[in-house]
Amino acid sequence: METQLDPMKDDLPLMANTSHMLVKHYVLDLDVDFKSQVIEGFIVLFLETGSRCRRASSTGEEGCQSQFDETCKIRASEQGHVPVSNASVCSSKTEYNDFAVCGKGEEDTSDKNGNHSNEEQASGISSSKNCCDIENHGNEDFLLVLDCCDLSVLKVEEVDVAAVSGIEKFTRSAKLTDVSKELANLRNQIVHELVTLPSDRCKEQLYYYTCCSQAPGCGELLFTTGTWSLEIRKSGIQTPTDFPHAIRIRYKTKPEGRSVTWTTDQSGRPCVYTMGSPINNRALFPCQEPPIALSTWQASVRTAASFVVLMSGENSAEPVQLQEGIMSWYYYVTMPMPASTFTIAVGCWQEVKQSFTPAVQTNNEFSLPCSQADFRWHEESCGHVEYPCRFQSPAARLQRVIPYRVFAPWCLMKCCEEHLLQLIPQCLSAAYTTLGTHPFSRLDVLIVPSNFSSLGMASPHIIFLSQSVLPGGSHLCGTRLCHEIAHAWFGLAIGARDWTEEWISEGFATFLEDVFWARAQQMSHDEEKAQQELKALLRWRRLRDEVQNSEEELQVLRPNKESTGEVSESGASIVKHGLKAEKIFMQIHYLKGYFLLRSLARRIGGASYLASLRKFVYKFHGQLVLSQDFLSMLLEDVPEQKESGLTVESIFTNWLDTSGIPKLLPDQLVLLLEYLLEEKTLCPRTLQCLEETYQLREQDAEVRHRWCELVVKHKYVPGYGDVEKFLREDQAMGVYLYGELMVNEDAKQQELAYKCFAAAREQMDVSSAKVVAEMLF
């Protein structure tokens, strides 16, 4: 039975049975209505049987059938079967290199308020029948389970892809008879041929996806909506192999849906956008949310002519007028990615134009640092599924700055032109200098409304930035832009196979934002080092505060530990703590991940470490990874670190599988304490936590010396005993502590200095005693 979870406290369920069937491509055809605050239309899913089923089918269908029992036992609260006639077809004469998309292929039955009373009532009809056909002599129907929440599903039907003109080219290897089962097999074979076309035929593939999405229906499917899922079945179909591989779902969002927010921009104009919800996109369209469900998509979105539609898409869409006052926007992607990365923003955005072309540095110091190893990587084939990959394109590999646009509400255009616009090429060039080929072909940057709960969010081909980064100079804007640009490599081109390992995305982006920003500003080596050390100190203080004020279980970067990446037999899983409200605002994964990467860079050396990052990017782009994939590759490149005790297992133990702040090496502690000595004030509580966290009294003399300096500077009375012990037992290093005790002109400290000198004077070296006496008397 579908698990009922507390939406404010528990884990996020990923219900889709991706081991049985995988969505390979989505076609969305949507209308955005600001009056009713509803997005309505249909989505067509093109599916393939899942890996678990394909493995089982090689040994016989019975082996595959047993895996569906778990899914078919799912019961839901309602079952809908909507008796609506087949959709009319919009004929398309478009050539496949034009990608024009027709209007709605189904008559709009809504009233003026956008309510579909008849259809919606039908979809809510309850049934005493189970989702699985219990009268089928013990055999149960296969269930396709999709992630879905806060949606009104109106109709689900099989799509007759065999009716598409010109589709014969995909059926030449099929032997068609008059048997209806053979016709169903033919449709599925057409979909298989379509989704497996080679990447050099991607334009043709998109064209036929469009045509197939507009084909007539050939039978409605039973469906059930639950709290977290949409479950679909076809009566009598018991395996994924026989289940329809192209289905169309008619639906509409709800104004209260949690995947998008309806609001007004800073100029008071209405807008709607995906704001990075904890439930991702399941309240925007039915989908498969597990990260392993990598898919491509295309979308046509219609709205009033005064609005601009921005979306995750490879193309810079140009609006097409369908009728007076209505425009259609079309976007597509050919790189498979999780459905959670799909992003849309519809509003009265204005494009910010620049009055001059910014100069991007092209001298040798600002060029891509390629080694012979870099060239060898590019000679190897990519490890991902086939798609038009930029890493294999000679032109893309030389593209330092990809095409970009900036959009904002009218009232913020001048501010964007003055600050943001000129920073983008600098930051893109710096990212290219560091990591090489840009994974995506273009970039839109949008200043989102003030209710956006983060400073930025990266999605394929588009970045959202908060208005908060604009005023006050370029520093905050530049560093945040660098952070989001870094996600093009870490978070998007390379994704976490288990979403609980957020540090793979956020830790890398936090580490790389410093590198990108220093190079964008063309800092000297010393300037870069000083800035990064200052950033490290500030981040350490934030991390310390967060560790002290958060639940321990939320401080673990790999909460599933040895089970990380595992899913159930059906492919369903959970995102641990994914729905905890406070987790959205925590920075543990950013900061703790950053300090792990920083410690590795310091041990390995900056240049070698960045070379390993470039190698990792080239080897794993377009794929999903776990922590050990990166750590194993890194340690293979530096075998001497293994000999010194640095292993994947030790990193798991010290950094990823435990709460709190990891133990620092003595040199790191010395550096930390030296930076804290530069602080004007530290409260007693901070000093107490510092000593307890790092057990400073048990550290070596270098560390304890800095600790004693902190005690004296901030007159931390509970630490005076540590100072006395240090002056008595570590005379070789304690001479100047006497001077610090005297210079503050504090009676207690001066008394401590006299007391310690009197006790140690007879055993002190003559020269040392003379120097101390001059300080004291």
Side-chain angles (χ1 to χ4, degrees), residues 412-487:
L412 294 176
M413 288 184 67
K414 184 177 180 181
C415 191
C416 287
E417 184 178 1
E418 291 176 350
H419 299 290
L420 175 60
L421 205 56
Q422 60 184 322
L423 289 174
I424 295 176
Q426 298 172 16
C427 296
L428 287 172
S429 182
Y432 172 86
T433 302
T434 306
L435 295 179
T437 308
H438 289 282
F440 300 101
S441 58
R442 69 174 197 95
L443 175 65
D444 283 341
V445 179
L446 172 66
I447 303 299
V448 286
S450 56
N451 69 337
F452 187 53
S453 60
S454 174
L455 289 179
M457 184 178 78
S459 300
H461 308 282
I462 186 169
I463 287 173
F464 290 170
L465 286 181
S466 166
Q467 65 176 26
S468 300
V469 307
L470 294 177
S474 63
H475 180 78
L476 180 58
C477 186
T479 54
R480 195 66 207 189
L481 184 60
C482 286
H483 182 100
E484 303 307 334
I485 287 174
H487 278 310

Side-chain angles (χ1 to χ4, degrees), residues 558-669:
R558 205 173 71 117
N560 292 331
K561 299 189 168 101
E562 63 275 1
S563 300
T564 300
E566 294 181 4
V567 298
S568 68
E569 190 176 38
S570 70
S573 63
I574 63 167
V575 180
K576 198 169 181 65
H577 312 308
L579 292 175
K580 277 188 174 285
E582 63 268 32
K583 188 173 182 293
I584 302 171
F585 303 100
M586 293 182 64
Q587 292 189 308
I588 285 283
H589 291 81
Y590 295 72
L591 299 176
K592 198 171 174 182
Y594 157 81
F595 278 109
L596 167 57
L597 297 176
R598 177 177 164 82
S599 70
L600 293 172
R602 290 173 67 90
R603 290 190 65 161
I604 295 168
S608 297
Y609 184 71
L610 290 179
S612 293
L613 286 191
R614 289 194 295 275
K615 178 180 177 182
F616 181 73
V617 163
Y618 192 81
K619 183 176 180 180
F620 286 101
H621 69 274
Q623 301 174 67
L624 302 171
V625 299
L626 298 174
S627 295
Q628 53 263 40
D629 295 318
F630 169 70
L631 297 173
S632 297
M633 191 212 74
L634 181 68
L635 295 180
E636 285 173 7
D637 289 347
V638 284
E640 64 273 12
Q641 293 297 329
K642 286 187 177 181
E643 296 172 5
S644 66
L646 184 65
T647 64
V648 173
E649 291 73 22
S650 68
I651 294 172
F652 281 168
T653 300
N654 295 327
W655 286 92
L656 301 181
D657 293 353
T658 56
S659 59
I661 301 176
K663 294 180 181 179
L664 297 183
L665 297 172
D667 285 347
Q668 293 173 309
L669 272 175

Side-chain angles (χ1 to χ4, degrees), residues 262-273:
W262 299 85
T263 185
T264 55
D265 65 21
Q266 292 85 339
S267 295
R269 304 294 300 275
C271 61
V272 61
Y273 68 101

Side-chain angles (χ1 to χ4, degrees), residues 469-519:
V469 307
L470 294 177
S474 63
H475 180 78
L476 180 58
C477 186
T479 54
R480 195 66 207 189
L481 184 60
C482 286
H483 182 100
E484 303 307 334
I485 287 174
H487 278 310
W489 287 269
F490 291 95
L492 296 174
I494 300 173
R497 199 195 314 168
D498 189 317
W499 276 346
T500 61
E501 292 201 299
E502 295 172 60
W503 84 270
I504 295 176
S505 173
E506 298 300 350
F508 275 94
T510 305
F511 177 85
L512 286 167
E513 80 174 60
D514 294 351
V515 181
F516 290 2
W517 184 234
R519 294 186 173 185

Side-chain angles (χ1 to χ4, degrees), residues 286-358:
C287 57
Q288 291 182 329
E289 290 238 302
I292 196 172
L294 301 177
S295 60
T296 52
W297 59 75
Q298 62 192 93
S300 295
V301 179
R302 291 170 294 278
T303 190
S306 57
F307 292 95
V308 172
V309 178
L310 300 177
M311 193 186 300
S312 305
E314 295 172 18
N315 58 314
S316 299
E318 295 293 336
V320 176
Q321 183 171 338
L322 297 180
Q323 61 190 63
E324 186 175 355
I326 300 295
M327 307 293 281
S328 178
W329 302 72
Y330 173 71
Y331 289 89
Y332 66 88
V333 298
T334 58
M335 175 182 174
M337 284 173 288
S340 60
T341 64
F342 178 94
T343 299
I344 186 172
V346 184
C348 299
W349 325 120
Q350 303 290 318
E351 183 174 0
V352 182
K353 302 284 188 177
Q354 55 193 14
S355 54
F356 64 93
T357 302

